[in-house]
Amino acid sequence: MTMLDDQTTAATWPTAYPEGYAVVDVETTGLARDDRIVSAAVYRLDFRGNVEDHWYTLVNPERDPGPVWIHGLTTDVLAGAPLFPEIAGALAERLDGRVLVAHNAIFDWSMIAREYARAERTAPTRQRLCTIALSKELGLPLPNHKLETLAAHFGVVQERAHHALDDARVLAESFRPSLHAAARSGVRLPLLECRPLTEWSDAPAAPRVGYQASYRQSSWRASRKRPACPYPNPGRYEPGGRLRQGMRVAFSGDTSVDRELLEDRAVEAGLHVATSVSRLTSLLVTNDQHSATSKTVKAASFGTPVIDEAAFTQLLRDVAPAAGQG
């Protein structure tokens, strides 16, 4: 145990911190919403980040494995692997009652949630923590947010990049000192809610060979163009006030609710979902207001109001009608 760890152990551990973590990594057939998991690994950690056990499995995606040059898993290797419904219970046992921890956690959580939705089950995960967001909260002096960079910062040696078990090990070993640093400094952990998918459209995958189209982004639901917002833009959101139909709302960064579903809710409430921030934008919704994304930078320059997802979903419950509508 290092001196750093001794100091952390001697200190009073924050009572608000979770009681356990499941550090997760999944390898997939691609990055899109209709892609599938080909391998998964979980390191279970106690409340201080100590490793309790680990687990790994291949998963037969029932389709072309996608970027074999990245994950190394060929059709032949995956042919005898279990299907996701066959490992869903074992994975659920390892996630149950723990915070899911992953590097770029929205991706891993989304892939897992979709697999459970296809299997007509629900993952027992209620919260997630992204190690990229945590490194930002800690102000780590990283040149970028790659896993290998985070690992190098903490002196963790990566042996097999893009192998789910080794990636999960590297992340677990990097997360522990991050967690202790947060505890010593009283940093609030950037926990986000994990909501299971409530709808699913599982279109049959077309036969694919090699570099598949879905790896370049496609949709997990039927593609559709949203109709134009029928209400005029009433202007900017006034902090403390109500949203009004016609307001232009932009989203940036990781969200607890699947982004497309969150945008659907906004449209159904009569809001205009904008893909960028301009002087006409009424509101920017982001859970990471301090990140220097193009949208947050523009919002700051234009003076656009910014709120987080939780506040936005509360406001969605009572959107004022458009001017002249009642």
Side-chain angles (χ1 to χ4, degrees):
M1 182 177 287
T2 66
M3 182 180 297
L4 177 149
D5 292 330
D6 283 330
Q7 293 171 351
T8 304
T9 302
T12 300
W13 197 261
T15 57
Y17 278 23
E19 296 181 358
Y21 304 89
V23 177
V24 173
D25 185 76
V26 297
E27 296 300 318
T28 66
T29 62
L31 305 178
R33 290 177 171 88
D34 65 338
D35 277 299
R36 306 296 299 272
I37 291 175
V38 294
S39 66
V42 180
Y43 268 72
R44 289 196 292 189
L45 312 181
D46 67 14
F47 74 105
R48 290 184 185 272
N50 298 309
V51 175
E52 295 178 330
D53 58 30
H54 59 78
W55 172 85
Y56 171 75
T57 184
L58 296 177
V59 182
N60 186 338
E62 302 180 273
R63 62 183 295 174
D64 184 285
V68 174
W69 60 93
I70 294 178
H71 53 60
L73 300 174
T74 64
T75 299
D76 291 342
V77 170
L78 297 171
L83 304 179
F84 187 85
E86 296 172 329
I87 62 96
L91 177 57
E93 289 178 9
R94 287 158 177 82
L95 299 177
D96 194 19
R98 297 170 185 266
V99 170
L100 183 151
V101 177
H103 203 65
N104 189 21
I106 183 61
F107 174 76
D108 294 82
W109 163 246
S110 297
M111 296 302 299
I112 290 170
R114 289 169 193 140
E115 290 287 10
Y116 273 100
R118 290 187 187 97
E120 298 183 345
R121 299 183 58 169
T122 301
T125 306
R126 296 294 170 262
Q127 289 182 307
R128 68 178 182 270
L129 186 156
C130 180
T131 47
I132 295 176
L134 180 57
S135 67
K136 291 179 180 179
E137 290 284 345
L138 294 172
L140 299 183
L142 306 177
N144 57 58
H145 294 291
K146 296 179 180 179
L147 176 57
E148 61 190 47
T149 304
L150 180 65
H153 177 78
F154 290 113
V156 178
V157 178
Q158 188 161 31
E159 298 172 359
R160 298 180 63 186
H162 298 296
H163 184 284
L165 184 60
D166 195 57
D167 279 355
R169 174 192 63 81
V170 168
L171 188 57
E173 293 181 10
S174 301
F175 173 64
R176 185 175 185 276
S178 297
L179 178 64
H180 281 240
R184 288 195 310 275
S185 303
V187 171
R188 178 188 63 84
L189 297 181
L191 301 175
L192 289 176
E193 183 182 2
C194 286
R195 296 191 181 185
L197 293 179
T198 56
E199 57 181 89
W200 181 258
S201 177
D202 191 13
R208 302 174 185 183
V209 177
Y211 191 86
Q212 48 182 320
S214 67
Y215 196 69
R216 296 192 299 268
Q217 297 290 334
S218 65
S219 178
W220 58 283
R221 291 190 291 180
S223 176
R224 78 249 190 258
K225 183 178 181 180
R226 293 192 179 98
C229 182
Y231 310 111
N233 185 355
R236 288 185 172 174
Y237 166 72
E238 294 292 336
R242 296 169 65 187
L243 294 174
R244 183 173 292 276
Q245 289 179 327
M247 283 186 171
R248 297 175 65 95
V249 179
F251 298 89
S252 177
D254 189 10
T255 54
S256 296
V257 178
D258 184 276
R259 173 71 68 80
E260 201 165 334
L261 297 182
L262 188 61
E263 291 178 353
D264 283 350
R265 292 181 186 177
V267 170
E268 290 167 2
L271 303 176
H272 177 129
V273 173
T275 57
S276 61
V277 173
S278 71
R279 288 182 173 81
L280 298 177
T281 304
S282 306
L283 177 69
L284 175 65
V285 179
T286 178
N287 290 319
D288 192 3
Q289 299 185 23
H290 302 296
S291 64
T293 66
S294 61
K295 290 180 182 178
T296 56
V297 169
K298 286 183 179 179
S301 66
F302 295 143
T304 305
V306 180
I307 63 174
D308 64 19
E309 178 188 359
F312 179 69
T313 53
Q314 287 290 327
L315 291 171
L316 273 182
R317 298 178 181 179
D318 185 29
V319 177
Q325 300 295 314

